[in-house]
Amino acid sequence: MKTTLHAPERLRNIGVAAHIDAGKTTLTERILFYAGAIHICGDVHDGNTATDFSAIEKAKGITISSAAAPCFWTPPAVAGLTRPYADMPHRLNVIDTPGHVDFTAEVERSLRVLDGAIAVFCGVGGVQPQSETVWRQMDRYRVPRLAFINKMDRAGADFLRVTNELREQLGANAWPILLPLGAEGELRGQLDVIEQCALISRPDSKVGYAVEAVPEAWRETLATARLDLINALASLDDEIATLWLEEKPISVEVLKAVLRRQTIAGRIVPVIGGSAYRHVGVHALVDAVVDYLPSPLDVQRLSETSVPLAALAFKVVRHPQAGRLVYVRLYEGTLQKGQVLVNPRTGKTDRCGRLLRVFADRRDELESIRAGDICAVAGLREFSTGDTLCLAGHELSLEPPQFPEPVVSMAIEPAHSTDQARLSSALARLSDEDPTFRVKTHEETGQCLISGMGELHLEIIREKLLLEHGLETVAGAPQIACRETITDAAEADHLLKKQNGGTGMYARVKLSVSPLDRGQGLVIENAVVGGTIPAVYMNAVHRGIQEAATTGALAGSPVCDVQVRIVDGAAHAKDSNEQAFRQAAMEAFREAVERASPVLLEPVMRVECAVSDEFQGEILGDLNRRRARILGLEHEQAQAFVTAEVPLVEMFGYAGAIRSLSRGRASYSMVPSAYEIVPSALMSKLLPK
C-alpha cells in the first residue's frame, strides 16, 4: 500500500456508522475493493471481510471493534458528468464502527476524531433505535454526514419512506441527491438529482456505472427532486436564494458547491440510495464523500492558539506482533518518529516509537504524519484513551471522547486457582483498551467484579480472555452488599469471666442500642459514670463494638445506623485487660442487637429512564414489578423521563429488559441512593443459602 502523504485538502477522515445489520461492514468492504485496497471482495456471512478480522467477529458475524482502513480514491472524469475533483487522488481514512449498542463506545471515540461520516440505513427497516443513538453521537461531535439508504434490492425496500423517517424521527434536513433506479429485484442503478441523468449499474466497469438518459417514467420524479433540493438549499444559502429569486439558471457547479458548503456546516444531509451487497451505488457514494464531506482544513476544532504539535489518543489496542498501539488523530504540526511527547494529564513524557498506517490487521511503517491524519503509534506507555499528545513547553488538553458508565456487572474468577495472577493481568489489559470496561474487587465480598455496557459486552470479554489469553473463567451474578440495622431499643449486660489458673480474664460491659436515621452509621457514646470501666480499657471497648458491627446476626452484613451507649461495667484489679474488655464489648453488642428486632437493609438505586411516549406504560409497569418507587415523570416533546428508586437486586438483567420493552428506544442510568429495609416476604431472597 502507498504511504505517500497528501495535502490535508485531499484527505477525508470518515466513519461508517449505523444500527446493527444495516450493512456497514459490507459497504466498507465494497469501498475498499473498488479503491484497490483489497483484491477480493469478502462478505460478512463468509467471515472474510477486511475489517472484521478477529476470530470473535468472524464467528459472531458482527463488528465488535472499530477498524481503520486507509485507501486511495480518484474521482474519475466521466463524460456527461461534472466532477469538481475529477482525476485528483484523495486518501480516505475509513473507519468501520460497530452497530450493537453494547459497543457504542467504539462509535463514540471514532466520531470524536473523524471529520465526516456515512450514516447507513436499511431500506426495509428504516430508522432503528440504534440509528437514533448513532445520530445523536454525530450531533454531539458536530460531524457532517451523508445518509446511505442501503439494501434497496430487498423485498419491501422503500427509499422515500426511509427518507421521511430521517426527517421525522431524527429531525434531519435530509434531501435525496441520488435516487435508486427501481427497487427490490428491479434495482438497476441510480438517478442523479443534480446532473439529471441515470447511472446504470455496471459493477465490472472502471467507474461502476454507465451514464444514460433518464427513462421516461422517471423524468418527472427526478425533476421534482431537483426542485425540492434547490428549495431546501435556497432557505439556507444566499447564493442559491439570489439565483432562485432572480429566476436565473442554477448550474451544476454552483449547486454542488453550495451543497458541499451546507453539508459541512451540518445544515443539510444528502441522501443516497443503493445496495452495497449488489454493488449498486458504491462508486457514486464515494464520489459524494469526496465532493461533499469535509477535509481536515474544513473543520478546525482547535483553539486559535497556535501550537507546534497537538494530537488526541482515541483508542488503545494490543497487537500480537506490534504490542500496545495507541491510535492518534493529529490536529496540529507534524508527528515524527522519536519525538519526545508530553502527557499534560499526568505530566509524564514518552518517546514516540514506530508510526504505523494500520489497515485492519496489516501495518505499514511511516516516518512522520502531518496535521489532519490518523495513525497508530507503537511504544507509548504513558498515554491512554482520551490523552493529548503535545510537546514540552506547549502543553494543552484536547477534549476527550465522552463514554457512558457501565450498566451491567458480574462476578468472575479463573476456572483454575493457579491462574489468578494471569487473570488480573489480562483484565487490566482489557480495561486499558476499553474505557467502558471496568474491573474492581468488592470491598466486602472480595469478589472480582467486571462491569460493561451489556450482557453481550461481558460475554465478549470472557471470550477474549479465553481466545487471546488462554484463560477459562467462571462467571456469576455478584452478591448484593446488604447492611443490617435494628428497629427497637434494647440492652445487654455481658460478663466475661475466665479462670484457668494464674491470671484470668474478667470484664463486664453493659450497653444499650437504639435505631438511628438512615445514613448515620455507627455512633458510640460513653455514658459510664463513676469509672466502673477504667479509662485505660475504654478504647478496647470501642474496638470490640466496632469489630462486632462488621458482622450482623442475619446475613453477616455490616450493622449500621445504630446508637450505642456504654452505660456500665466492672473490672478486676488483677484479671482485667484490653482483650477481655474487647471480647465482652463484642458479645454485649451482639446480644443487644439480637434483642432489638434486627432487619436487613438492601441497596436502593436512583434510576433515570428516557423513553419515547409510546413505550412509557411498558416501562412504568416493569418498574412497578421491580418494587420501584416512582419519584417523577416529565415529558419533553415525544420523550418521557422517569425517575425512580429501585432495589439493586431487582435491577439485574434490566439492560436487556428495557431494550426489549422499548424496542431499544429507551436508555437509563442508575446511581446508589440509599439502603432500605427488605420486606419480610422477600428476606429469603437476600439471606445466604
Side-chain angles (χ1 to χ4, degrees), residues 360-637:
D361 60 342
R362 303 201 307 262
R363 306 171 310 284
D364 293 318
E365 298 230 11
L366 304 171
E367 291 299 318
S368 64
I369 66 165
R370 293 194 288 180
D373 213 344
I374 293 173
C375 77
V377 184
L380 291 182
R381 296 182 299 274
E382 303 296 339
F383 291 85
S384 299
T385 300
D387 285 340
T388 301
L389 292 71
C390 51
L391 301 181
H394 300 278
E395 290 84 355
L396 83 163
S397 294
L398 300 175
E399 178 188 359
Q402 301 299 316
F403 299 110
E405 289 296 313
V407 295
V408 176
S409 301
M410 70 167 57
I412 191 171
E413 60 183 31
H416 309 287
S417 58
T418 54
D419 289 335
Q420 185 61 57
R422 291 179 59 219
L423 176 62
S424 298
S425 176
L427 290 175
R429 287 190 173 192
L430 291 174
S431 62
D432 179 40
E433 297 174 13
D434 186 347
T436 59
F437 173 62
R438 310 283 174 79
V439 183
K440 70 175 182 179
T441 301
H442 198 287
E443 295 178 359
E444 294 165 15
T445 66
Q447 289 178 301
C448 177
L449 300 182
I450 59 175
S451 303
M453 298 307 300
E455 286 85 354
L456 178 60
H457 187 190
L458 297 185
E459 177 189 332
I460 295 298
I461 291 293
R462 292 188 63 205
E463 291 192 26
K464 286 185 176 182
L465 289 172
L466 180 62
L467 295 177
E468 298 175 7
H469 300 274
L471 286 167
E472 186 178 350
T473 56
V474 178
Q479 297 178 9
I480 299 295
C482 292
R483 298 286 188 271
E484 296 180 29
T485 192
I486 57 176
T487 56
D488 294 326
E491 283 190 352
D493 190 343
H494 186 83
L495 173 63
L496 176 68
K497 185 177 180 180
K498 294 181 180 179
Q499 189 67 47
N500 297 320
T503 304
M505 296 274 285
Y506 184 95
R508 172 177 167 257
V509 175
K510 181 180 180 180
L511 52 77
S512 66
V513 295
S514 57
L516 291 174
D517 293 336
R518 295 291 168 265
Q520 297 297 305
L522 183 69
V523 178
I524 303 174
E525 178 186 350
N526 183 1
V528 174
V529 178
T532 53
I533 298 179
V536 68
Y537 298 133
M538 193 54 69
N539 284 338
V541 173
H542 279 252
R543 287 199 306 273
I545 294 171
Q546 291 166 346
E547 289 178 25
T550 61
T551 308
L554 296 176
S557 301
V559 179
C560 63
D561 303 335
V562 174
Q563 168 87 35
V564 183
R565 295 183 76 245
I566 309 168
V567 296
D568 200 4
H572 188 276
K574 183 178 180 181
D575 293 340
S576 291
N577 53 48
E578 288 191 356
Q579 180 68 9
F581 272 98
R582 186 180 69 84
Q583 291 186 18
M586 290 176 67
E587 293 304 321
F589 178 80
R590 287 169 179 160
E591 291 171 12
V593 167
E594 288 179 4
R595 297 169 185 168
S597 303
V599 292
L600 195 65
L601 298 175
E602 62 180 340
V604 174
M605 312 300 287
R606 183 181 178 89
V607 180
E608 296 183 357
C609 299
V611 59
S612 58
D613 285 341
E614 61 181 310
F615 300 108
Q616 173 188 316
E618 288 87 344
I619 296 300
L620 288 174
D622 182 68
L623 287 173
N624 287 325
R625 287 190 291 273
R626 295 173 186 270
R627 297 191 283 133
R629 181 168 60 250
I630 306 300
L631 302 179
L633 177 59
E634 298 179 359
H635 292 269
E636 183 178 324
Q637 296 179 348

Side-chain angles (χ1 to χ4, degrees), residues 74 103 111 131 133 169 181 234 298 348 408 487 533 597 657 677:
T74 303
F103 310 108
L111 292 176
S131 308
T133 301
Q169 297 185 33
L181 178 56
D298 296 315
K348 295 182 178 180
V408 176
T487 56
I533 298 179
S597 303
I677 296 174

Side-chain angles (χ1 to χ4, degrees), residues 3 55 88 132 147-148 201 222 254 269 336 372 420 424 443 508 526 537 555 564 587 654-655:
T3 56
M88 296 183 184
E132 299 173 8
F148 182 65
S201 180
L222 195 58
V254 169
V269 178
Q336 297 178 333
Q420 185 61 57
S424 298
E443 295 178 359
R508 172 177 167 257
N526 183 1
Y537 298 133
V564 183
E587 293 304 321
Y654 190 62

Side-chain angles (χ1 to χ4, degrees), residues 108-344:
E108 192 80 24
R109 59 180 165 192
S110 297
L111 292 176
R112 169 60 184 87
V113 299
L114 293 172
D115 300 321
I118 302 171
V120 186
F121 300 88
C122 175
V124 180
V127 174
Q128 297 291 303
Q130 185 62 10
S131 308
E132 299 173 8
T133 301
V134 170
W135 199 267
R136 288 195 297 269
Q137 289 172 306
M138 293 181 185
D139 287 341
R140 180 159 55 250
Y141 294 112
R142 303 181 300 278
V143 177
R145 71 215 68 163
L146 304 175
F148 182 65
I149 300 179
N150 192 24
K151 302 187 179 183
M152 286 303 304
D153 58 315
R154 296 282 185 90
D158 190 330
F159 180 82
L160 294 181
R161 173 180 58 81
V162 178
T163 302
N164 286 331
E165 288 180 3
L166 297 180
R167 298 167 183 159
E168 295 170 3
Q169 297 185 33
L170 302 179
N173 189 20
W175 296 95
I177 62 169
L178 287 161
L179 297 167
L181 178 56
E184 302 181 355
E186 301 299 320
L187 182 66
R188 299 167 48 208
Q190 296 170 302
L191 297 170
D192 193 319
V193 173
I194 297 176
E195 303 269 9
Q196 292 286 287
C197 63
L199 309 179
I200 306 301
S201 180
R202 298 283 189 271
D204 296 333
S205 72
K206 182 179 179 182
V207 298
Y209 54 81
V211 180
E212 296 185 5
V214 179
E216 181 66 32
W218 290 91
R219 289 180 184 174
E220 184 177 350
T221 299
L222 195 58
T224 301
R226 191 176 196 273
L227 185 60
D228 290 342
L229 177 63
I230 290 173
N231 284 334
L233 289 172
S235 65
L236 302 172
D237 195 279
D238 290 342
E239 183 178 3
I240 291 285
T242 300
L243 292 171
W244 178 251
L245 290 173
E246 294 177 356
E247 298 183 353
K248 293 182 178 179
I250 300 174
S251 67
V252 170
E253 292 84 355
V254 169
L255 197 52
K256 287 196 170 189
V258 172
L259 183 59
R260 174 180 175 80
R261 191 157 60 234
Q262 296 305 323
T263 301
I264 292 173
R267 299 192 184 102
I268 197 167
V269 178
V271 184
I272 298 169
S275 169
Y277 185 73
R278 289 268 305 275
H279 303 257
V280 177
V282 178
H283 286 81
L285 172 64
V286 185
D287 286 341
V289 166
V290 172
D291 288 349
Y292 306 121
L293 291 183
S295 74
L297 296 181
D298 296 315
V299 283
Q300 184 71 8
R301 294 183 184 176
L302 281 179
S303 65
E304 295 181 359
T305 304
S306 178
V307 292
L309 181 71
L312 181 68
F314 67 94
K315 183 179 174 72
V316 174
V317 299
R318 292 184 183 272
H319 194 277
Q321 287 79 41
R324 187 176 188 265
L325 298 179
V326 179
Y327 281 80
V328 301
R329 159 69 192 264
L330 188 61
Y331 287 95
E332 290 284 356
T334 300
L335 180 61
Q336 297 178 333
K337 187 164 60 174
Q339 273 183 313
V340 177
L341 304 171
V342 176
N343 185 338

